[in-house]
Amino acid sequence: MELIVAVYEDWGIGRGGTQPIALAADRKFFRETTKGCMVIAGRRTVEDFPGRKPLPGRENVLLTRQGGDYPGFTLCESVGKVLELAKRAPRAMVIGGGSVYRQLLPRCNKAYVTKLKTRVECDTWFPDLDKSPDWKLAKILGSGEENGIAYTFCLYERTGDEKRAGGAEG
């Protein structure tokens, strides 16, 4: 499995169930990177989608123990069920939020990280992959500036001995 996340300088990712600052360039990068993938999200992330509608051109999986009515989403009540589905997908991409990242990061081998060079007040953070011996920065995929905020698209890969099973490879 893979994941995609946008982080601020302190590796914060959100506040109150949403991204405090979202850049158009990052939204485009997200769309292009996840197109055709199975995307796996938690309830708070899905509730932040426009109209709570599934993302077009993707198989949408919602990991939640609360159930509910989410047309267009495959609901999974456990990580085990998500992993079963992911094995059948050509590409499975974890897209958040914090709880889902924590549960599935150990099963991911690639991480697409957009680093925004700014700090905002957050209540949810992503682990700092730069400080993790399990991950290495494999490639800078691009960079730029939007609305006065510099950003970098990074690809991290799990280091050799720590590679995990648990789903489709990308």
Side-chain angles (χ1 to χ4, degrees):
M1 276 196 302
E2 305 170 53
L3 68 84
I4 189 164
V5 64
V7 301
Y8 306 107
E9 287 179 317
D10 63 354
W11 289 78
I13 61 172
R15 179 168 177 80
T18 192
Q19 284 181 290
I21 296 174
L23 302 180
D26 182 51
R27 297 276 193 212
K28 180 180 179 192
F29 179 72
F30 176 91
R31 278 191 309 275
E32 291 171 353
T33 304
T34 64
K35 195 75 169 167
C37 291
M38 170 188 285
V39 292
I40 304 158
R43 182 187 48 80
R44 287 184 75 186
T45 298
V46 166
E47 288 179 353
D48 197 40
F49 288 2
R52 285 181 32 172
K53 293 184 177 166
L55 301 176
R58 300 158 190 86
E59 180 181 352
N60 289 259
V61 174
L62 172 56
L63 175 59
T64 181
R65 290 184 300 273
Q66 295 186 3
D69 186 28
Y70 295 89
F73 290 87
T74 301
L75 270 61
C76 292
E77 293 184 353
S78 70
V79 168
K81 179 139 179 163
V82 167
L83 296 175
E84 284 178 35
L85 286 174
K87 285 179 184 174
R88 296 192 297 266
R91 268 182 92 195
M93 185 80 65
V94 180
I95 64 170
S99 171
V100 174
Y101 285 133
R102 279 190 300 280
Q103 293 176 74
L104 293 175
L105 178 64
R107 301 298 196 141
C108 293
N109 289 325
K110 289 184 182 178
Y112 296 87
V113 179
T114 301
K115 292 182 174 181
L116 283 70
K117 192 159 179 64
T118 188
R119 283 184 187 255
V120 296
E121 191 174 333
C122 289
D123 59 16
T124 308
W125 287 266
F126 191 84
D128 183 342
L129 298 185
D130 289 324
K131 293 182 179 173
S132 172
D134 297 341
W135 291 90
K136 67 175 182 201
L137 177 60
K139 188 186 287 187
I140 300 293
L141 302 171
S143 62
E145 186 175 315
E146 184 179 318
N147 299 327
I149 300 171
Y151 61 85
T152 306
F153 301 128
C154 303
L155 173 61
Y156 285 81
E157 293 179 348
R158 189 171 288 281
T159 57
D161 292 341
E162 294 298 320
K163 288 199 174 183
R164 313 274 182 192
E169 297 297 316

